[in-house]
């Protein structure tokens, strides 16, 4: 990290070369393969932060277990301190990716484009177009990681963990901290896999998380998220079909407000899912949403197109849900539909 010319660490994260290391050779090669400078910095920043957050989770789990085994008291302060540091680092990453990733990648591409002589534009056009699509995929993955991480933090701190003034006992705090850490771990791991997929590599096939228990947790979380988002897509399709029935009035709210809401859900949950299996109709689906997001009048044809693409996407999600359930690590783990429904209500309430 210290010697890399492509990395400029954020002071808020304070990366240390002796602690913040990525040891998996495939992952290191993947980062080196990102040739564009700003993209490489953002990718390295995201990977390093996500792995650091996973180490925080391990510390929390270990400390809570140690308190149970030897009856050690007064571990609450250590656990709360670790959660506070985890939240601070997660917030620094999400702010960087949400506020700056799009601008940094666009400016970097603009500088590369400006260096091309006018006489070479035609020759370089296919390569630059491919680079633009590649950067667009990286940007989408980074923004998706940020949105998902923000939601995970809200769930942990607003629902899973007891408030400091709740009067919870030491034992209850340890148990809830351990449960919150267990819920957070697969979400962080899946974010790493999603970013790898956006860069063209399936990290789950290269031993990044090769423990059977970890694969089981990640697959179970992925299956749950797919089911949850399929329900969100179904609601979107219903609203899209009914939007054309609204009469335009000056004092009415826009009948298309649900499109912006759905896009925010998609960035936080849907994008990681389509990156996990490369949904082939992703671009037509997003284009159909953009066509009805910012309009001054109702266009029934555009609404119908969006609903049709939504139904195709939902069919894809349900097929993906079945395929994930057939994985070896999930053969003896039935899908808990009630728990998934509760998680969906919590997700919609915290968004």
């Amino acid at each position: 990290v210290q010697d890399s010319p492509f990395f400029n660490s954020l002071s808020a994260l304070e990366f240390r070369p002796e602690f913040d290391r990525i040891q998996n050779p495939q992952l290191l090669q993947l980062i080196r393969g990102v040739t564009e400078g700003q993209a490489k910095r953002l990718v390295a920043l995201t990977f390093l932060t996500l792995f650091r957050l996973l180490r925080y989770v391990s510390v929390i789990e270990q400390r809570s277990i140690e308190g149970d085994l030897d009856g050690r008291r007064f571990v609450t302060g250590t656990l709360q301190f670790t959660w506070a540091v985890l939240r601070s680092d997660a917030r620094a990453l999400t702010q960087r990716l949400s506020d700056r990733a799009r601008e940094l990648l666009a400016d970097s591409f603009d500088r590369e484009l400006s260096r091309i002589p006018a006489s070479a534009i035609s020759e370089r056009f296919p390569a630059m177009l491919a680079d633009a699509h590649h950067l667009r995929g990286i940007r989408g993955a980074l923004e998706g990681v940020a949105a998902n991480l923000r939601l995970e933090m809200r769930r942990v701190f607003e629902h899973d963990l007891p408030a400091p003034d709740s009067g919870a006992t030491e034992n209850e705090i340890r148990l809830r901290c351990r449960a919150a850490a267990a819920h957070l771990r697969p979400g962080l791991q899946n974010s790493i896999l999603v970013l790898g997929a956006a860069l063209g590599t399936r990290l789950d096939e290269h031993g990044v998380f090769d423990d059977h228990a970890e694969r089981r947790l990640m697959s179970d979380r992925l299956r749950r998220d797919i089911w949850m988002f399929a329900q969100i897509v179904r609601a979107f399709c219903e609203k899209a079909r009914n939007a054309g029935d609204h009469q335009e009035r000056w004092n009415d709210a826009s009948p298309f407000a649900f499109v912006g809401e759905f896009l925010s859900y998609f960035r936080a949950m849907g994008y990681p899912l389509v990156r996990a299996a490369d949904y082939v109709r992703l671009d037509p689906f997003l284009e159909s949403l953009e066509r009805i997001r910012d309009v001054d009048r109702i266009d029934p044809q555009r609404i119908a197109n969006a609903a049709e693409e939504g139904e195709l996407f939902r069919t894809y999600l349900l097929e993906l849900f079945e395929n994930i359930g057939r994985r070896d690590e999930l053969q003896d783990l039935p899908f808990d539909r009630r728990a998934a429904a509760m998680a969906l209500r919590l997700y919609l309430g915290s968004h």
Side-chain angles (χ1 to χ4, degrees):
V1 175
Q2 182 175 335
D3 299 330
S4 173
F6 299 104
F7 188 78
N8 181 19
S9 61
L10 296 177
S11 58
L13 291 169
E14 298 179 347
F15 287 110
R16 298 289 297 274
E18 62 269 32
F19 299 121
D20 297 291
R21 292 180 178 272
I22 296 176
Q23 299 180 349
N24 184 277
Q26 284 77 21
L27 186 53
L28 290 173
Q29 187 64 31
L30 179 64
I31 296 175
R32 295 190 186 103
V34 182
T35 57
E36 199 283 322
Q38 287 292 352
K40 185 186 290 287
R41 294 187 186 97
L42 290 170
V43 167
L45 169 72
T46 304
F47 275 130
L48 284 170
T49 306
L50 290 174
F51 277 106
R52 176 190 278 188
L53 297 181
L54 284 172
R55 286 194 293 274
Y56 289 149
V57 168
S58 297
V59 170
I60 291 169
E61 291 175 331
Q62 181 180 359
R63 291 292 294 165
S64 63
I65 292 174
E66 289 174 352
D68 288 344
L69 292 178
D70 59 14
R72 189 179 305 170
R73 302 181 61 194
F74 309 114
V75 300
T76 303
T78 302
L79 293 173
Q80 290 177 338
F81 171 78
T82 309
W83 278 117
V85 175
L86 185 152
R87 186 180 190 179
S88 175
D89 285 1
R91 182 177 295 170
L93 176 64
T94 56
Q95 288 179 346
R96 181 70 171 181
L97 297 182
S98 300
D99 299 341
R100 297 284 290 157
R102 184 184 297 254
E103 177 185 352
L104 290 172
L105 293 175
D107 289 346
S108 179
F109 182 78
D110 182 65
R111 286 193 297 271
E112 290 295 325
L113 186 62
S114 300
R115 294 192 183 102
I116 301 176
S119 59
I121 288 291
S122 297
E123 179 183 354
R124 294 287 305 279
F125 177 77
M128 295 303 295
L129 182 62
D131 289 344
H133 283 294
H134 183 59
L135 290 176
R136 180 184 179 185
I138 293 177
R139 185 206 71 194
L142 293 174
E143 292 180 345
V145 166
N148 186 264
L149 184 57
R150 187 180 297 109
L151 283 176
E152 290 285 349
M153 290 298 102
R154 291 186 64 180
R155 177 184 58 79
V156 167
F157 286 92
E158 295 180 9
H159 179 267
D160 293 352
L161 296 179
D165 58 353
S166 64
T169 64
E170 288 271 342
N171 184 59
E172 182 182 355
I173 291 174
R174 288 198 298 268
L175 291 176
R176 292 187 62 175
C177 283
R178 193 184 314 162
H183 291 158
L184 180 59
R185 179 183 292 277
L188 296 175
Q189 291 172 331
N190 279 328
S191 292
I192 292 173
L193 298 183
V194 165
L195 185 53
L199 298 174
T201 300
R202 292 187 60 87
L203 295 177
D204 53 342
E205 298 176 353
H206 292 283
V208 177
F209 305 115
D210 54 2
D211 181 78
H212 177 76
E214 290 184 335
R215 292 199 305 271
R216 182 184 176 94
L217 287 173
M218 287 189 295
S219 294
D220 188 43
R221 169 63 71 88
L222 181 60
R223 178 174 60 174
R224 189 203 71 177
D225 288 350
I226 290 170
W227 182 88
M228 288 168 54
F229 200 69
Q231 312 313 308
I232 295 175
V233 174
R234 182 179 65 176
F236 164 78
C237 293
E238 290 295 331
K239 291 182 179 180
R241 294 191 191 94
N242 296 329
D245 297 334
H246 290 276
Q247 298 296 322
E248 294 177 284
R249 298 183 179 91
W250 285 103
N251 59 348
D252 278 352
S254 170
F256 301 111
F258 70 94
V259 179
E261 295 175 358
F262 177 78
L263 286 174
S264 66
Y265 291 138
F266 182 83
R267 283 191 294 269
M269 182 182 291
Y271 189 85
L273 299 180
V274 298
R275 292 306 312 181
D278 292 329
Y279 179 51
V280 295
R281 293 194 59 82
L282 175 60
D283 288 340
F285 178 47
L286 294 180
E287 289 173 3
S288 70
L289 297 178
E290 292 296 336
R291 291 193 186 101
I292 65 173
R293 183 182 183 184
D294 300 313
V295 294
D296 295 326
R297 65 182 183 86
I298 295 174
D299 188 333
Q301 184 58 48
R302 291 184 178 183
I303 296 174
N305 290 340
E308 181 180 354
E309 288 292 340
E311 286 293 350
L312 292 174
F313 184 42
R314 181 169 177 266
T315 300
Y316 158 81
L317 289 176
L318 294 177
E319 292 176 355
L320 183 60
F321 171 80
E322 296 295 335
N323 292 334
I324 296 296
R326 297 189 187 100
R327 290 182 176 179
D328 293 339
E329 60 266 26
L330 295 179
Q331 289 302 306
D332 59 343
L333 185 63
F335 179 63
D336 191 340
R337 195 174 298 269
R338 174 175 293 184
M342 292 179 61
L344 178 59
R345 286 195 294 269
L346 177 63
Y347 171 81
L348 296 176
S350 64
H351 198 274

